[in-house]
Amino acid sequence: MEKDSTKKDKPYQTVRGMHDILPKDEDYWRSIWEIGNEISEIHDFNFIETPILEAVGLFEEGIGEATDIVEKEMFSFKTKGREIVVLRPEGTAPIMRSYIQHHLGHFSSPLKVFYWGPMFRYERPQSGRYRQFHQWGFEVIGEADPFYDVQIMLVTLNFLKALGIKGLKIKINTVGCRVCRPTYRKRLVQYYRTQKRNICKDCIRRYEKNPLRLLDCTVRECKEIREGAPIILDYLCQACNSHFKEVLGLIEDNEIEYEPDPHLVRGLDYYSKTVFEVVLPKNADRALAGGGRYDYLGEVLGGRTIPAVGVSLGLERIIEYIKEKEIDPKRKKKPSVFFVVVGEEAKKKGLCLINKLRLSNIKVLESVGKQSLKNQLKIANKTKSKLSLILGQRECFEETVMIRNMKTGVQETVPTENIVEETKKRLR
Ligand code: AMP
């Protein structure tokens, strides 16, 4: 017999490197949204959201053609209208595009915004590295002052601390500017020319296309060679030198734990001057957040210099860490009531009453279907609801509802018309 081609051998699965966020993890995600929104408001950052699809050129020009993201990791495709678009791999270039497109600089100086949402990179999936992941970002656009470099670090640390994460450290470096970086790059290339035979294949490509990224390689042999490489601090121009010193001074004033890392360069070409990562001392290879200054991105995308600084936090990594350390997701939960219905008539009436309660801002849970009273009360117990409101045949006939205190077991009957006040009274 021919095989039924409509039947699948295996049910559909998520696409490789992508994952579902399931209800069991709701508390973690909600705590990020709630704390993130509060932290953003306290630090005076306003919400911005850009589309998930952008023109491919935005990232090719913005992030840089010789970066891993642009060379290997973009999910790009041609639309029916023959445009080449890309699922955004990061949030900063789109925000700079939006800043220029909507003249946001006229309305505030500087513009302080936050965003969150999914990012897409075609990376090799492994623990802590996905093809779709979420970032929360903060950007300050329109100011060159080191004050904002450090404010970006502070808002990141305050966010992570509010989530219950302790022992954070900033790894920091500067990548210089157009004046000083070329001289440093030349020196770096000179050094690596003598090492070409000893570096990995990827590094040979980096040597040709993007020599600063040679410092970023994680292969052991390359790391050893890096130890002898010149460091940018010896080549900084006066402006970059004093900017970096001022940033470090402010970091110390704010008692931020930090460690200068002369090899930190980061994977996006748009950075200038300050770059940093937020790490946990025992897990320094897996940063929870990364950012820096990107004073030239505005010029690349819009033709004029727009100084800016920002950060993005990797939400999956943060949640993985919170889980690993068994940190309680900090969520203020609303007390709930469980609505029990017994019989068809009660189910019909119950729907109206449940809606009335919800319109009065009361959190109501239910599990109708064919469940018995006993089973529904069992579920109510599991959900840790404070009260159960029970509507059976008798209550329907008498136009009453029974309210059961789930802790004491005490039951009281109240008229249906007073259901909202009577419930609220008992929830206080
Ligand atoms: P980046 O945009 O590369 O500067 O990364 C900022 C942060 O996003 C990192 O510190 C990670 O926490 C997170 N991140 C970056 N790439 C991934 C990925 N492929 N999967 C999960 N998290 C990521």
Side-chain angles (χ1 to χ4, degrees):
M1 220 170 77
E2 229 177 274
K3 215 175 151 191
D4 181 355
S5 62
T6 59
K7 274 204 181 135
K8 300 251 163 344
D9 294 339
K10 236 168 73 178
Y12 286 115
Q13 303 282 307
T14 42
V15 170
R16 188 165 137 78
M18 314 237 163
H19 62 107
D20 298 318
I21 295 173
L22 300 174
K24 71 177 173 57
D25 287 333
E26 178 181 5
D27 278 353
Y28 296 102
W29 287 93
R30 272 194 190 252
S31 76
I32 290 206
W33 300 329
E34 284 167 13
I35 291 172
N37 280 316
E38 202 177 322
I39 287 284
S40 303
E41 189 165 8
I42 289 171
H43 293 74
D44 192 25
F45 283 83
N46 291 113
F47 177 64
I48 189 166
E49 180 162 318
T50 58
I52 284 171
L53 285 186
E54 294 277 359
V56 71
L58 176 65
F59 300 104
E60 285 173 352
E61 289 171 37
I63 299 178
E65 299 221 39
T67 55
D68 282 354
I69 293 183
V70 170
E71 264 192 348
K72 302 187 285 196
E73 296 171 2
M74 291 216 288
F75 279 92
S76 54
F77 58 94
K78 204 185 258 180
T79 66
K80 288 184 176 142
R82 295 182 170 276
E83 284 165 293
I84 300 184
V85 292
V86 53
L87 296 176
R88 62 177 183 200
E90 59 96 53
T92 301
I95 287 173
M96 185 55 94
R97 180 216 24 84
S98 180
Y99 180 92
I100 295 165
Q101 180 177 342
H102 302 289
H103 313 285
L104 298 181
H106 294 312
F107 306 109
S108 46
S109 186
L111 179 79
K112 289 173 65 179
V113 286
F114 76 94
Y115 63 90
W116 78 273
M119 305 295 158
F120 303 83
R121 294 183 194 171
Y122 197 80
E123 298 195 73
R124 197 162 61 81
Q126 48 188 295
S127 130
R129 205 164 273 288
Y130 305 99
R131 289 183 174 172
Q132 176 177 346
F133 58 98
H134 294 76
Q135 287 186 334
W136 191 293
F138 297 98
E139 313 283 354
V140 176
I141 307 184
E143 252 304 338
D145 200 303
F147 177 97
Y148 285 108
D149 302 35
V150 180
Q151 188 173 96
I152 280 288
M153 294 174 204
L154 286 168
V155 68
T156 310
L157 293 171
N158 294 347
F159 190 173
L160 293 168
K161 274 186 213 156
L163 287 167
I165 301 178
K166 293 188 189 121
L168 296 157
K169 193 169 70 175
I170 298 260
K171 279 211 289 188
I172 186 165
N173 193 22
T174 171
V175 288
C177 68
R178 268 184 199 146
V179 175
C180 50
R181 197 160 35 192
T183 321
Y184 172 63
R185 190 181 310 197
K186 224 186 263 167
R187 285 288 298 115
L188 199 62
V189 169
Q190 271 170 12
Y191 170 77
Y192 274 97
R193 193 171 296 140
T194 60
Q195 302 288 346
K196 243 174 134 179
R197 264 182 299 136
N198 309 321
I199 54 179
C200 72
K201 247 208 268 162
D202 273 344
C203 276
I204 291 180
R205 201 169 38 82
R206 291 181 186 125
Y207 172 86
E208 305 290 344
K209 289 192 159 178
N210 197 352
L212 245 63
R213 295 302 309 277
L214 285 162
L215 301 172
D216 216 14
C217 187
T218 49
V219 173
R220 193 172 52 86
E221 288 77 12
C222 298
K223 272 176 154 177
E224 280 166 14
I225 291 165
R226 181 179 73 185
E227 291 311 310
I231 59 170
I232 194 159
L233 298 181
D234 295 333
Y235 296 87
L236 291 180
C237 62
Q238 213 182 352
C240 285
N241 198 25
S242 62
H243 188 96
F244 194 49
K245 272 198 181 140
E246 243 181 279
V247 168
L248 293 183
L250 289 169
I251 285 180
E252 282 183 9
D253 293 347
N254 283 281
E255 296 175 0
I256 298 174
E257 183 97 10
Y258 77 101
E259 179 192 307
D261 178 353
H263 300 133
L264 186 70
V265 284
R266 309 209 17 82
L268 310 109
D269 270 3
Y270 54 55
Y271 287 117
S272 54
K273 296 197 170 90
T274 315
V275 288
F276 70 92
E277 281 183 353
V278 180
V279 295
L280 290 148
K282 282 198 191 124
N283 214 345
D285 283 344
R286 185 169 300 173
L288 296 186
R293 185 157 274 291
Y294 48 95
D295 290 348
Y296 302 129
L297 182 61
E299 196 177 310
V300 170
L301 300 179
R304 69 196 160 92
T305 312
I306 306 167
V309 58
V311 65
S312 52
L313 293 86
L315 302 187
E316 275 80 0
R317 283 204 197 164
I318 291 169
I319 289 175
E320 273 162 25
Y321 182 76
I322 289 176
K323 280 186 178 173
E324 194 185 303
K325 292 286 162 202
E326 296 178 6
I327 299 168
D328 209 16
K330 296 195 171 18
R331 264 202 73 209
K332 284 182 231 110
K333 279 196 189 155
K334 240 175 143 46
S336 62
V337 304
F338 197 94
F339 207 101
V340 176
V341 290
V342 189
E344 282 307 307
E345 180 66 15
K347 200 191 323 180
K348 268 192 221 151
K349 282 206 169 150
L351 186 58
C352 302
L353 289 176
I354 288 171
N355 196 42
K356 193 169 162 189
L357 291 160
R358 286 180 178 153
L359 283 171
S360 307
N361 211 20
I362 297 171
K363 177 176 171 185
V364 189
L365 317 182
E366 90 278 304
S367 173
V368 293
K370 293 190 177 61
Q371 309 256 26
S372 67
L373 171 68
K374 200 171 142 203
N375 276 345
Q376 290 182 61
L377 283 175
K378 240 193 219 165
I379 300 169
N381 245 330
K382 267 198 209 148
T383 62
K384 299 205 170 74
S385 291
K386 206 167 168 190
L387 307 171
S388 278
L389 309 193
I390 303 166
L391 191 66
Q393 244 172 341
R394 189 164 139 198
E395 285 79 16
C396 281
F397 179 72
E398 290 176 353
E399 301 207 341
T400 58
V401 178
M402 193 186 284
I403 303 187
R404 180 188 172 94
N405 182 316
M406 295 303 286
K407 211 170 181 182
T408 61
V410 172
Q411 302 193 149
E412 294 164 278
T413 303
V414 301
T416 316
E417 57 180 6
N418 300 341
I419 188 169
V420 169
E421 302 81 73
E422 294 292 343
T423 305
K424 279 192 171 166
K425 209 159 63 184
R426 286 165 180 80
L427 279 178
R428 264 180 228 134

